Amino acid sequence: IQNFIFINYYHNNMKKILNFTIALWCSLNILATEKNVTVEIQNNWKQDKTDAPIAIKLNEISVGFPIKSAIIKDQNKEIPSQLDDLNGDRIADELAFVIDMPANSSKKVTITFSSEESDKQYESRVYADMLISDKKGKHVPITSLTIPGTSNVYNQLHHHGPAFESELVIYRIYFDQKQTVDIYGKFNKGFELKESGFYPNDEQLAKGFGDDVLRVSGSCGVGTLKGWNGKKATHVEPVRYRAERIMAAGPIRTVVEVEDNDWLYQGSKLNMTTRYILYAGHRDAEVYISFEEPLKKEVFCTGVQDIKESVSFSDHKGLIACWGTDWPVNDTIKYAKETVGLATYIPQKYVKEEVKDKSNYLYAVGNEGHNSFNYNITFTSMKETFGYKSPEEWFAYVQEWKQELEHPCTVKIIK
């Protein structure tokens, strides 16, 4: 009997110890799924930066668990942010946010990473959509579409491809061999794409909505990457497959991709991805071109459309801009002429030569032996109450814009 009592006592106490150990391990494990990281951001430029874009690559930070959410604080002030999965593997790749940085300043922010998803929602300062029409003409939201290169869905897609906006501007990307970057100008800062669908009705126009402000036709619009045959820009064709997708739609930035599979170009078979990134508070967009294999001697081109009766500006070192006035659509009765300024800036290391064709002001570009290159695009519409009203103002601005791009904020992981 004594032996039985002892064994039973020992067994019950061991169960309690085991349960306590398990509970303690679980609580420690829960605590271990959060980690604070300090990041130092520096603006070494002579000018203040408003809504400076910051993107932190998460593979450069080791936290020991899959990151599902993040909170950023500048001292006691929380900074809205977003986590983006940019390769489709359902794992976050980048943490993005914008921050105001005074000239020649440094800030340390604290990022709390967690393995738990958060229900926190920030007010979105950007928007993106892609819509396809069903048999009844209803516009159905989609985030990705892939088609054979011989197919044509241009007219099945509302606004002809993905569109994305900040408070200042709207861009759209044509879903066809042109892949043109087209633009929508606003009178006032705010959001219009979801309501107007890029095509405002008479009532919306009367309320002060903006509209399509550029007839791009077969040009490069603003900063579309094209082929270059030595005399003129060419479209991205033939390809085996073509895809366009929205990778991220806010609240801080939109990320839109165009993928061209097996593009037969200058003796090569290229798999190319073009990524457009638009941040909150920005009129300019970042453009990243990447290839599956290192480039050989292929030469491409990009720049801005030569708008009818336009004047242009070039610094002959990667910056090209124009200012012009034309009808934005073929209907010259209902619609008035629009005046816009366009600009593209390509880092000089990618520039081969400055060129021109009938429709565009261009730079020939390439990056032999490497898988990628990048550049930036921007525009203004003279209808903007917050924009630029003359070519002189616009050309002065884009030179400052280039300087700002060449002096980005630096990011350093402290701990």
Side-chain angles (χ1 to χ4, degrees):
I1 293 173
Q2 287 178 338
N3 287 341
F4 174 78
I5 293 172
F6 174 77
I7 292 171
N8 194 48
Y9 172 82
Y10 177 80
H11 175 71
N12 289 337
N13 277 276
M14 285 302 296
K15 279 184 67 178
K16 291 178 182 179
I17 293 171
L18 180 61
N19 288 339
F20 174 78
T21 303
I22 292 172
L24 179 63
W25 181 86
C26 288
S27 64
L28 291 174
N29 191 54
I30 289 171
L31 291 174
T33 58
E34 280 195 358
K35 184 171 183 178
N36 290 332
V37 175
T38 301
V39 173
E40 183 179 35
I41 303 168
Q42 289 187 322
N43 174 19
N44 297 316
W45 196 40
K46 61 183 180 180
Q47 301 288 343
D48 296 345
K49 286 178 176 284
T50 302
D51 289 326
I54 306 295
I56 297 175
K57 296 185 182 302
L58 299 181
N59 61 6
E60 298 176 358
I61 299 176
S62 177
V63 297
F65 53 81
I67 296 171
K68 296 295 181 67
S69 62
I71 300 294
I72 305 176
K73 287 193 175 181
D74 176 7
Q75 296 181 349
N76 293 323
K77 178 184 176 182
E78 186 170 336
I79 300 175
S81 63
Q82 70 185 63
L83 289 167
D84 291 331
D85 169 18
L86 299 177
N87 60 8
D89 65 355
R90 297 180 296 280
I91 298 173
D93 302 303
E94 288 187 2
L95 174 66
F97 58 99
V98 293
I99 187 171
D100 294 340
M101 295 292 297
N104 299 308
S105 70
S106 175
K107 288 184 180 181
K108 289 182 180 179
V109 301
T110 301
I111 307 174
T112 302
F113 292 104
S114 174
S115 63
E116 300 297 319
E117 291 188 1
S118 172
D119 57 3
K120 180 183 291 290
Q121 292 186 341
Y122 299 110
E123 181 180 0
S124 188
R125 296 181 59 196
V126 291
Y127 176 78
D129 67 25
M130 183 160 59
L131 307 167
I132 194 165
S133 300
D134 63 16
K135 290 182 178 180
K136 295 182 179 179
K138 182 180 178 181
H139 304 313
V140 180
I142 59 175
T143 56
S144 179
L145 181 64
T146 302
I147 62 170
T150 53
S151 297
N152 186 342
V153 296
Y154 178 84
N155 289 318
Q156 280 71 51
L157 290 169
H158 189 62
H159 50 65
H160 304 306
F164 47 100
E165 76 174 322
S166 68
E167 303 101 314
L168 287 75
V169 293
I170 303 179
Y171 294 89
R172 66 172 169 178
I173 313 298
Y174 283 175
F175 201 131
D176 63 5
Q177 74 279 9
K178 298 191 295 292
Q179 299 181 176
T180 314
V181 182
D182 195 11
I183 56 176
Y184 175 116
K186 303 179 184 183
F187 284 99
N188 303 297
K189 292 182 181 180
F191 294 95
E192 300 182 13
L193 178 59
K194 186 174 183 179
E195 188 174 348
S196 74
F198 209 92
Y199 304 110
N201 57 36
D202 291 344
E203 182 181 350
Q204 290 168 336
L205 290 171
K207 287 167 57 179
F209 272 53
D211 205 348
D212 186 347
V213 290
L214 185 64
R215 179 168 52 179
V216 295
S217 300
S219 75
C220 76
V222 52
T224 309
L225 187 77
K226 296 285 189 179
W228 177 249
N229 67 7
K231 295 182 178 180
K232 67 177 184 178
T234 60
H235 301 321
V236 182
E237 59 181 344
V239 300
R240 185 181 181 191
Y241 292 104
R242 196 184 313 278
E244 297 193 5
R245 62 181 71 94
I246 297 172
M247 303 297 293
I252 303 304
R253 67 178 184 177
T254 64
V255 181
V256 170
E257 282 189 348
V258 180
E259 182 180 334
D260 298 289
N261 180 259
D262 287 355
W263 177 21
L264 302 180
Y265 181 68
Q266 294 185 354
S268 297
K269 186 181 288 187
L270 303 177
N271 293 317
M272 179 177 75
T273 300
T274 304
R275 178 176 291 170
Y276 297 92
I277 301 179
L278 176 65
Y279 279 89
H282 282 249
R283 67 168 66 247
D284 62 325
E286 302 172 358
V287 185
Y288 295 90
I289 312 293
S290 62
F291 300 87
E292 195 172 80
E293 300 291 337
L295 290 169
K296 300 172 185 175
K297 295 184 180 296
E298 298 90 353
V299 177
F300 312 90
C301 70
T302 189
V304 294
Q305 178 180 345
D306 179 356
I307 305 167
K308 189 176 181 180
E309 300 179 0
S310 66
V311 291
S312 66
F313 170 83
S314 172
D315 70 352
H316 313 296
K317 296 179 180 180
L319 177 64
I320 189 74
C322 80
W323 178 277
T325 303
D326 196 7
W327 276 283
V329 293
N330 293 327
D331 185 348
T332 61
I333 304 299
K334 181 179 178 181
Y335 295 91
K337 286 185 175 182
E338 297 281 358
T339 299
V340 299
L342 314 175
T344 297
Y345 166 61
I346 307 107
Q348 196 170 2
K349 61 184 177 180
Y350 304 131
V351 172
K352 300 293 185 183
E353 61 177 328
E354 189 170 351
V355 293
K356 175 82 171 68
D357 67 8
K358 183 179 179 180
S359 302
N360 308 286
Y361 303 101
L362 300 163
Y363 283 101
V365 298
N367 199 17
E368 183 178 351
H370 298 271
N371 292 68
S372 63
F373 55 87
N374 62 279
Y375 55 94
N376 294 73
I377 62 176
T378 192
F379 80 92
T380 188
S381 168
M382 200 169 74
K383 66 173 55 178
E384 296 171 352
T385 58
F386 52 88
Y388 305 88
K389 302 302 180 183
S390 71
E392 292 79 15
E393 285 185 26
W394 178 241
F395 297 153
Y397 164 74
V398 298
Q399 292 176 79
E400 293 175 2
W401 171 63
K402 175 184 174 178
Q403 288 294 313
E404 183 172 6
L405 292 173
E406 290 181 337
H407 296 84
C409 289
T410 59
V411 178
K412 182 180 179 181
I413 310 301
I414 302 299
K415 59 180 180 179

